[in-house]
Amino acid sequence: MASFEPCRTKMVAEGIAPSAISAFESTFKSLVSGATGIIPESTISPVPELVHTDSLSIEPDSELLASTVVLKLNGGLGTGMGLDKA
């Protein structure tokens, strides 16, 4: 297995934040271990039931926007990620 230490040494010398080094190390280890990150379609199933938003009684709170994350996936229906149907 390839050693991460040369990468760590260079990143530390460049002043990269320890949290960024740690995140990169995790990805590096996944890569050299041969992990693909692919989740086989045969191992997933549809959500049985979703709550309709009209049935929720939640008061709007604009302060929550500061801790909101938006995740956007490219690839249409996931075909770019290997899925063959929605």
Side-chain angles (χ1 to χ4, degrees), residues 57-75:
S57 57
I58 300 173
E59 291 297 318
D61 184 352
S62 61
E63 290 183 20
L64 294 175
L65 291 174
S67 60
T68 300
V69 174
V70 176
L71 177 64
K72 294 183 180 183
L73 299 176
N74 287 333

Side-chain angles (χ1 to χ4, degrees), residues 27-66:
T27 303
F28 177 90
K29 287 180 176 179
S30 292
L31 174 68
V32 297
S33 74
T36 64
I38 294 174
I39 301 171
E41 189 171 358
S42 62
T43 67
I44 60 175
S45 59
V47 176
E49 183 179 346
L50 291 174
V51 175
H52 195 281
T53 56
D54 290 341
S55 69
L56 301 175
S57 57
I58 300 173
E59 291 297 318
D61 184 352
S62 61
E63 290 183 20
L64 294 175
L65 291 174

